[in-house]
Amino acid sequence: MIHFFIGTKAQLIKTAPVMAELQERDIPYNFVFSGQHKKTIEELLDNFGIKKPDTILYSGSEVTSILGMLRWMSKLLVTKRSVLSHIWKGDDQGIVVNHGDTMSTLIGTLLARKQGLKTAHLEAGLRSYNLFHPFPEELIRIVVSALSGIFFAPNQWAYDNIRNNGKREIINTHYNTLIDALNSPNRKTSNSIKTPVKYVLVSIHRFENIFSKRRLTHILNCLNEVSNRIDLVFVLHEPTREKLQQSNLFNHLKKNNRITLIDRQDYFNFIHLLEKSEFLITDGGSNQEECYYLGKPCLIMRKKTERKEGLGENAVLSEYDLNKILHFTENYSTYRRPQIHPDATPSALVCQKLIPYSGP
């Protein structure tokens, strides 16, 4: 049987096109939701026309803190064998697809191995080659890579990073399944947010940025400088909002009338805001990829990135350097590129490999 182990919104966005492709072909699958992120999950399922999870492993509050993450992870890792068999529907011959570099990726891989199931890693081979940028994602990628049996690399560079993984199978899908999410036939928007005529979209949420008050303060100072030149629309992830409030930075940010603060949006509404924007300031790897496929200028608020998409073309790695940030802001129009339209969908390639495990 084919199993999907998913825990975060970003994982669901990138895995949904594969699940939708299987549904289109009337091929059943088991959807296990770890519960790491719960808000807007229902909206995403509706967005992509995906069935509800067969099993939800955690039904507590949203996991937004390090302590909460550790508690949540420890509960899942001690899952009893009888419960584990129920989660995997008694299957010990199928395959579990884990996506990306989150704690859910690691847990799903470990629980699959505990059941004796084959494991596949979607979005495999990404590397920053720096354990602390991003942390813990780079470490998770390395561990999951050591434990997985089949790898779906989104491009040649990622493929080359893991091509020496012994006898394990590596498939180059040439593009990330994210491009199929962007082109979803179910795509629709219901966005009523009022934005300036010209604005920059901002999304900051990574561990290494929001859990350091010094760095978070520096990022906000940079954003204030950018706002002197163009209006900003700042999408606040819940952990980012919490850290801003705990650090007494939230009120300072609110006082800037050239920065509009909005709640996190569902996926298609966010993409609508992104397409309308002049450029994006982000620390998200998925956002970097979205901008690459859309040809949108992108300023990456990180020191390192595990992705090559767009670098030197539409995207610039800021390295937190204010001079780089302001130079990009003043010249962002030179980073616009045509949208990318692939001939074949990566999700179809993934499905082709998974189907033999669907069972009789």
Side-chain angles (χ1 to χ4, degrees), residues 159-173:
Y159 178 92
D160 289 341
N161 285 336
I162 53 176
R163 67 188 309 169
N164 295 322
N165 276 350
K167 296 181 179 179
R168 291 173 289 175
E169 191 169 2
I170 310 171
I171 297 95
N172 182 357
T173 60

Side-chain angles (χ1 to χ4, degrees), residues 168-235:
R168 291 173 289 175
E169 191 169 2
I170 310 171
I171 297 95
N172 182 357
T173 60
H174 304 290
Y175 296 95
N176 198 304
T177 52
L178 179 65
I179 199 167
D180 295 333
L182 288 171
N183 296 324
S184 171
N186 292 332
R187 183 174 169 180
K188 58 183 181 294
T189 59
S190 58
N191 205 316
S192 59
I193 294 173
K194 292 183 179 180
T195 61
V197 175
K198 290 180 66 173
Y199 65 90
V200 175
L201 194 62
V202 180
S203 176
I204 303 293
H205 68 279
R206 296 190 75 89
F207 176 94
E208 67 266 25
N209 282 337
I210 68 173
F211 282 88
S212 165
K213 184 175 180 179
R214 179 187 60 81
R215 181 166 290 162
L216 186 56
T217 300
H218 175 68
I219 290 171
L220 293 186
N221 289 337
C222 292
L223 293 179
N224 280 320
E225 287 292 333
V226 173
S227 73
N228 290 329
R229 294 157 174 80
I230 187 170
D231 291 314
L232 306 183
V233 175
F234 195 156
V235 181

Side-chain angles (χ1 to χ4, degrees), residues 93-109:
Q93 301 294 318
I95 190 166
V96 179
V97 181
N98 295 287
H99 177 279
D101 53 20
T102 73
M103 287 296 182
S104 287
T105 315
L106 179 58
I107 290 171
T109 303

